Amino acid sequence: MVQQIGKDIKKLVAYGLQTGLIEKEDKIYTTNRLLELFGLDELEDEGGEVSMEVEELEAVLGRMMDYAAENGMMKENSIVYRDLFDTKIMSMLVPRPSEVIRRFRNLYAENPEKATDFYYKFSQDTDYIRRYRIKKDQKWTADTQYGKLDITINLSKPEKDPKAIAAAKNAKQGGYPKCLLCVENEGYAGRVNHPARQNHRVIPVEINGSKWGFQYSPYVYYNEHCIVFNSEHIPMKIEHDTFCKLFDFVKQFPHYFVGSNADLPIVGGSILSHDHFQGGHYEFAMARAEVEKTFTVKNFEDVEAGIVNWPMSVIRIACADSSRVIALADIILEKWREYTDEDAFIYAYTDGEPHNTITPIARKRGGKYELDLVLRNNITTGEHPLGVYHPHAKLHHIKKENIGLIEVMGLAVLPARLKGEMDRLADAILAGKDIRKEEELEKHADWVDEFLPKYEPESRKSKDELMEILHKEIGYVFMQVLEDSGVYKRTEEGRAAFERFLNTIE
């Protein structure tokens, strides 16, 4: 085992050289740091050059953690403690923040895209973004009347074992870092209830005169999925400054879109306590959707405005002058915050609690700055306790979680349980089983009864054919999830109600 750990140390150093994480002058230094980490005094000199492919990283780290577990270097040999320890291993190869920032800024001076290309690759090479886990995610597209929707079953977040869950529950609830988005995560060793970030580096950016951080999501739901976060731990808020910040970021990184989750529970993101945006180098179905009806706002004749052909209620405004887009967005936000239409079941307040907010997404298209404003409302009722404009109960067997920014734009992030459930559901249908008598699958029974008759028996004779059908039908469910989340339904009554709101914008 000692001989193998020595070989793996050499391979990891070779990986660092190959990826550019370390330079040739760092080779001896990095080797010695790894020897110290594993409690070794020396390496056996076996001669010859050692090489390592990027694809080998998971296996090499796996063997290193096995060695650590066998030699009492980890509290337990479980996924949580292994993740803490392999991050520590990778930190031995990662440059100091100042070096990473310097390189990013030098490349940015040449071209912003060169800078983000470098940083995205760097974030993967350090194993902050675990390529080998991301590859496990199931991804496909679904053709709908609104275009191709993106569907992903998220398998890259590891399932915690019961011991680790118990340990996290009993662990002292530390206040440092205050949350997963705080800048203090950079270089943090982690603990059983907080991930290690020793291999993580943040790029400081100034947005609208304030200090923010730029990083990638470790789970990359789409290409170059980035997070831009306030350097201070302050709550999310959609306001005039939000629009200014979004466009300031787009001007600095014109090849990226950027958007914000709404600032109210149910319709907001999972972290409302820390002001942040999400962006990236990707075109979502909503961005491809066209304006189906234009309108003009008095004194804003220079700003293009229209309703987007999308299951949710989206106003798109665009102009070559971003300040004009922001000025109109301010008016729309102000009007929507206070807008009530009882006939359409839209209430700005109940018992003093606000319900109306907006999910904004900014981009540059051609020579114009474009802003999509998605109207949101988080009111609940006895019939819909999780939200009237939220996936309704009949869809919860597929998607029950909040509809945040990513879903709004047309990408379904579905729970890992669906991988196994769909596999077993296909087997059950093929075997002619009564799905209502299958405990794990019973929740899907009404859905199967609804869609299966649409397909001729000849077209669903094999498991592959059935899986294709299930993927297609999951896409239709996600379309309905978005339609449920829209405040104005795509009916004659819904369009008329949308028009009533637009008539208040002046």
Side-chain angles (χ1 to χ4, degrees), residues 200-224:
H200 178 42
R201 299 294 178 262
V202 175
I203 303 298
V205 290
E206 186 175 296
I207 302 178
N208 198 38
S210 56
K211 292 179 180 179
W212 285 55
F214 170 63
Q215 65 186 38
Y216 290 104
S217 164
Y219 305 112
V220 281
Y221 293 132
Y222 52 87
N223 187 47
E224 296 179 43

Side-chain angles (χ1 to χ4, degrees), residues 190-202:
R191 52 185 189 267
V192 70
N193 57 359
H194 194 103
R197 290 289 182 256
Q198 290 138 306
N199 58 348
H200 178 42
R201 299 294 178 262
V202 175

